[in-house]
Amino acid sequence: MSVDVHSWYTWAALFVTLTAYIIVAGLRKPISFLPFHTPCNKVLANVSQTTRLVLVRILRQGHIPAHISFIMDGNRRYARTQHLKATSGHISGFHNLTRVLDWCNALGITHVSVFAFAINNFTRSADEVEALMDLATNKLRELATKSELVKKHNVRICVVGNRSMLSEEVQRAAEFAEEETKNNTGLRLNICFPYSATDEISFAVQKVAEDVASGEVRVEDVDERVVADRLRIKSPDPDILVRTSGQVRFSNYMLWQSAKHTHIQFIDVFWPNFSFFHMFCILVSWQLARSQISYRKA
């Protein structure tokens, strides 16, 4: 049975675990107890497997979100800090995504959405766009056929976006990934690619207009639910939306779905550096805010 996160024994376990971890870390570097600040990132980013399992158990004593969404920002800036090409930053971002999905599965989160490529990213240099398309083609096929994560956790892959803007090769890779995992019953991964919220809403409105014209829907019955049912993303509205890299904007991502009750977190860390400790702090923040969010829903 789920235990309220405010209960004294949950917080006692949390206090003991974090205290023990900080002692083990040795406090060799200055720490800010604001967990998204750089000094804390350096010390606490690499949480050990044992500590992570303990923290997961603590979190699971409280409520767990059904859907968490990520704007995976900062790959290029991460690459610059490492004196690497932009493509290397995107590859590092992909590797971190597999780690994040593993954490989400361990926590019992059933829907994860990621902003992989914005429609306006087509305005970037031709070389970078081509490299990103090649990366997407390879990684979609790799996820569907070779990923231990997908096989182990029965992940279903859904590529969400305006596919007409993609080359035939990338479209085939997206279709292949979806077909290979369509019967999987575990975590649902929505890869938004290429995507914008305004394009998705326009698509839904066009579908409503078509259904009205065909007589499937009456004009007087058109409401928010009718439009929402025709959005491309077929998951519940996100409980949490996280944007990395320190930017404080939505960048035209999941505007419809995030408009009401989503808990928004902007954190100052590049996506490849996003750690389990960041995830832990975000979920604790959501659990603490959940009673107020539930009240607004009611």
Side-chain angles (χ1 to χ4, degrees):
M1 191 167 85
S2 182
V3 179
D4 193 291
V5 73
H6 296 286
S7 61
W8 70 267
Y9 45 89
T10 299
W11 282 109
L14 172 61
F15 175 78
V16 170
T17 302
L18 290 182
T19 301
Y21 180 72
I22 291 170
I23 292 171
V24 171
L27 299 180
R28 295 186 180 91
K29 298 181 181 179
I31 290 182
S32 162
F33 283 94
L34 298 176
F36 305 139
H37 287 188
T38 300
C40 188
N41 293 343
K42 291 179 179 178
V43 178
L44 297 176
N46 298 317
V47 178
S48 72
Q49 177 70 15
T50 301
T51 305
R52 186 161 59 245
L53 290 173
V54 173
L55 295 179
V56 165
R57 295 196 67 174
I58 290 172
L59 286 170
R60 293 193 67 146
Q61 297 308 304
H63 295 279
I64 294 296
H67 185 185
I68 185 166
S69 184
F70 295 96
I71 301 176
M72 305 182 295
D73 195 20
N75 291 336
R76 292 191 298 173
R77 278 168 285 167
Y78 168 82
R80 284 197 293 270
T81 65
Q82 304 298 312
H83 308 290
L84 300 171
K85 293 182 179 179
T87 306
S88 297
H90 295 302
I91 293 172
S92 296
F94 171 79
H95 291 321
N96 202 40
L97 172 60
T98 61
R99 289 189 286 269
V100 172
L101 291 175
D102 196 35
W103 306 336
C104 289
N105 186 79
L107 287 161
I109 296 169
T110 54
H111 296 259
V112 176
S113 296
V114 295
F115 200 4
F117 190 87
I119 287 175
N120 65 7
N121 286 160
F122 282 113
T123 61
R124 293 181 179 178
S125 70
D127 288 344
E128 183 176 358
V129 172
E130 182 180 0
L132 285 169
M133 292 299 128
D134 290 343
L135 179 65
T137 301
N138 294 332
K139 294 306 180 183
L140 282 170
R141 292 187 179 277
E142 180 182 318
L143 274 175
T145 58
K146 299 179 181 179
S147 171
E148 288 300 317
L149 175 77
V150 171
K151 293 177 181 177
K152 179 180 177 182
H153 301 310
N154 213 20
V155 175
R156 180 181 179 185
I157 299 171
C158 301
V159 181
V160 183
N162 191 340
R163 293 196 198 175
S164 65
M165 304 181 76
L166 299 173
S167 68
E168 289 186 7
E169 182 181 13
V170 181
Q171 288 187 45
R172 286 195 295 270
E175 291 165 3
F176 175 81
E178 290 188 331
E179 183 66 24
E180 285 291 306
T181 63
K182 68 180 181 180
N183 295 321
N184 290 358
T185 57
L187 181 150
R188 180 188 181 112
L189 172 62
N190 297 311
I191 302 175
C192 299
F193 174 87
Y195 176 89
S196 78
T198 46
D199 178 77
E200 181 185 29
I201 294 168
S202 298
F203 171 83
V205 171
Q206 289 172 1
K207 290 298 181 184
V208 171
E210 291 172 5
D211 291 341
V212 168
S214 67
E216 184 177 336
V217 176
R218 299 184 305 170
V219 173
E220 56 269 29
D221 292 334
V222 175
D223 57 12
E224 179 182 326
R225 178 191 56 80
V226 170
V227 178
D229 286 346
R230 288 158 179 78
L231 293 171
R232 288 190 170 109
I233 298 175
K234 305 300 182 185
S235 287
D237 291 346
D239 299 290
I240 304 171
L241 187 149
V242 179
R243 180 175 186 141
T244 56
S245 87
Q247 297 294 312
V248 184
R249 50 195 169 89
F250 286 97
S251 294
N252 206 357
Y253 179 61
M254 293 188 76
L255 299 180
W256 180 286
Q257 296 90 339
S258 303
K260 290 184 178 180
H261 310 295
T262 300
H263 187 61
I264 311 296
Q265 291 282 327
F266 300 102
I267 66 170
D268 192 11
V269 60
F270 297 142
W271 173 252
N273 290 331
F274 182 79
S275 70
F276 181 81
F277 190 75
H278 297 112
M279 184 84 159
F280 175 83
C281 294
I282 287 167
L283 290 176
V284 169
S285 174
W286 175 80
Q287 288 179 336
L288 290 171
R290 184 178 177 277
S291 58
Q292 184 178 359
I293 294 170
S294 299
Y295 175 77
R296 289 202 303 269
K297 285 184 178 181

